[in-house]
Amino acid sequence: ETGVTQTPRHLVMGMTNKKSLKCEQHLGHNAMYWYKQSAKKPLELMFVYSLEERVENNSVPSRFSPECPNSSHLFLHLHTLQPEDSALYLCASSQAQFNYGYTFGSGTRLTVV
Amino acid sequence: KNEVEQSPQNLTAQEGEFITINCSYSVGISALHWLQQHPGGGIVSLFMLSSGKKKHGRLIATINIQEKHSSLHITASHPRDSAVYICAVKADKLIFGTGTRLQVFP
């Protein structure tokens, strides 16, 4: 374990389902991130939260909805996804935005059927 | 063209070989990360460097800021080194390369 825990590890969902991905860190970090990793492509930054405030949203479709209730927890709510949304979703945290102590979780492998 | 380019994309080696993975970038940066991703998906930070050279065990990372180039070396490679190695540069945010898939055979 790296200190950033993601659940579930694997998720299969239909296009009409609603599900949520969870990320938890107890490293005392103030910034948390959601990334998408598709095959053969670099990691894509989706959302950045700094001190529980969303500071970046990289043109992500509204079917992805993040939530950061406190500095230790980050959620990604999913609804009416498309098959092309199947990917590995990685959470990360750092002491300050894009700064030291950058730590990734193990990811959630999402398959949309 | 990606702002961060890695080479090679795939690399196979025999156990014990010396490995070099290269990263070139085209933007101004304040730091560069080398990351390791195992088949399970989790990513581990190996190095963060802004100048010179860092060494940790069998891993060595170097950076040349003027040439906008970094290398990751693995000495005496081992099958457990098999993973995807990702270079990421810190500009206004982290920009990632597509990774180098390394397989080390016994």
Side-chain angles (χ1 to χ4, degrees), chain A residues 17-47:
Chain A
N17 291 158
K18 287 186 181 181
K19 296 285 184 185
S20 295
L21 310 185
K22 180 182 176 183
C23 176
E24 186 172 350
Q25 60 91 9
H26 295 287
L27 300 170
H29 288 172
N30 291 319
M32 296 186 78
Y33 316 83
W34 279 117
Y35 285 92
K36 177 184 178 182
Q37 187 179 36
S38 304
K40 308 289 187 192
K41 294 171 80 173
L43 271 77
E44 299 171 54
L45 179 64
M46 299 175 73
F47 301 105

Side-chain angles (χ1 to χ4, degrees), chain B:
Chain B
K1 186 170 163 51
N2 291 342
E3 292 164 301
V4 180
E5 295 280 351
Q6 287 185 236
S7 63
Q9 287 188 331
N10 295 284
L11 184 55
T12 58
Q14 288 295 124
E15 184 173 356
E17 285 185 10
F18 182 82
I19 305 288
T20 296
I21 300 171
N22 296 298
C23 176
S24 297
Y25 52 93
S26 57
V27 295
I29 71 168
S30 56
L32 181 144
H33 296 255
W34 279 105
L35 309 166
Q36 181 191 56
Q37 185 174 30
H38 278 283
I43 295 177
V44 175
S45 178
L46 299 174
F47 296 103
M48 185 177 80
L49 64 165
S50 53
S51 65
K53 177 178 172 178
K54 284 192 175 180
K55 184 176 189 292
H56 182 73
R58 295 180 294 105
L59 302 178
I60 304 167
T62 63
I63 187 168
N64 184 318
I65 297 291
Q66 286 73 31
E67 294 185 6
K68 296 188 172 175
H69 181 269
S70 175
S71 293
L72 176 68
H73 305 286
I74 305 175
T75 61
S77 59
H78 190 276
R80 64 175 174 265
D81 298 325
S82 299
V84 176
Y85 292 84
I86 302 171
C87 170
V89 300
K90 182 173 179 293
D92 57 339
K93 59 186 176 185
L94 277 186
I95 306 170
F96 294 82
T98 53
T100 294
R101 183 174 300 277
L102 171 65
Q103 288 183 289
V104 182
F105 294 99

Side-chain angles (χ1 to χ4, degrees), chain A residues 3-83:
Chain A
V4 176
T5 303
Q6 287 188 243
T7 54
R9 292 296 304 273
H10 300 273
L11 178 62
V12 179
M13 59 186 287
M15 289 192 283
T16 57
N17 291 158
K18 287 186 181 181
K19 296 285 184 185
S20 295
L21 310 185
K22 180 182 176 183
C23 176
E24 186 172 350
Q25 60 91 9
H26 295 287
L27 300 170
H29 288 172
N30 291 319
M32 296 186 78
Y33 316 83
W34 279 117
Y35 285 92
K36 177 184 178 182
Q37 187 179 36
S38 304
K40 308 289 187 192
K41 294 171 80 173
L43 271 77
E44 299 171 54
L45 179 64
M46 299 175 73
F47 301 105
V48 181
Y49 277 83
S50 180
L51 296 171
E52 301 158 42
E53 182 181 335
R54 191 192 311 180
V55 296
E56 190 157 339
N57 175 349
N58 267 8
S59 304
V60 180
S62 60
R63 57 186 184 268
F64 295 91
S65 173
E67 179 190 1
C68 187
N70 55 62
S71 59
S72 299
H73 293 87
L74 185 65
F75 295 89
L76 188 62
H77 304 298
L78 316 171
H79 66 97
T80 58
L81 294 192
Q82 304 298 311

